[in-house]
């Protein structure tokens, strides 16, 4: 049985809860390599894992990718991204996100 978007999303969410950002990024990469397009929930969980792992630059990179992929960003997307910026002491980036 091959994993699908939901399976990957649940696994990435579990990584986010446990601050395992490296594993979450690995799963996201594997998901893409299998031809599966991440949805908003999966991307939000990925950004959240970066937030908890103090990886604000990776979080912003994922946010940019979501915009390029034309995903519908939501309040969770922005909250997790701004939280990651706050942990990385990147207040200017957080303010820019708030202004979007």
């Amino acid at each position: 049985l091959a994993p699908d978007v939901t399976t990957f999303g649940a696994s990435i969410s579990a990584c986010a809860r446990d601050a395992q950002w490296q594993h979450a990024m690995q799963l996201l990469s594997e998901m893409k390599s299998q031809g599966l397009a991440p949805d908003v929930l999966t991307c939000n969980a990925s950004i959240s894992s970066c937030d908890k792992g103090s990886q604000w630059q990776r979080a912003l990179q994922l946010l940019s990718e979501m915009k390029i992929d034309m995903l519908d960003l939501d309040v969770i997307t922005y909250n997790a991204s701004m939280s990651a910026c706050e942990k990385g002491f990147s207040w200017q980036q957080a303010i820019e996100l708030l202004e979007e």
Side-chain angles (χ1 to χ4, degrees):
L1 190 62
D4 59 10
V5 174
T6 303
T7 308
F8 275 107
S11 298
I12 291 170
S13 291
C15 291
R17 282 190 298 275
D18 201 27
Q20 296 293 320
W21 69 271
Q22 292 169 319
H23 194 66
M25 295 298 98
Q26 198 171 40
L27 287 168
L28 186 62
S29 178
E30 184 178 333
M31 178 182 182
K32 291 177 181 179
S33 73
Q34 291 185 17
L36 297 171
D39 60 8
V40 173
L41 296 175
T42 303
C43 291
N44 286 349
S46 299
I47 291 172
S48 182
S49 73
C50 291
D51 168 30
K52 292 180 179 151
S54 299
Q55 299 295 311
W56 67 273
Q57 292 171 319
R58 287 183 191 268
L60 293 181
Q61 179 183 359
L62 289 170
L63 178 65
S64 293
E65 291 173 12
M66 289 177 74
K67 291 176 183 177
I68 291 168
D69 293 340
M70 299 180 72
L71 292 175
D72 292 325
L73 309 179
D74 59 18
V75 68
I76 296 168
T77 309
Y78 283 103
N79 280 345
S81 298
M82 286 187 285
S83 178
C85 289
E86 178 262 330
K87 286 186 177 92
F89 301 103
S90 182
W91 291 102
Q92 184 64 34
Q93 292 287 340
I95 290 169
E96 288 176 18
L97 290 175
L98 188 61
E99 293 173 347
E100 283 188 16

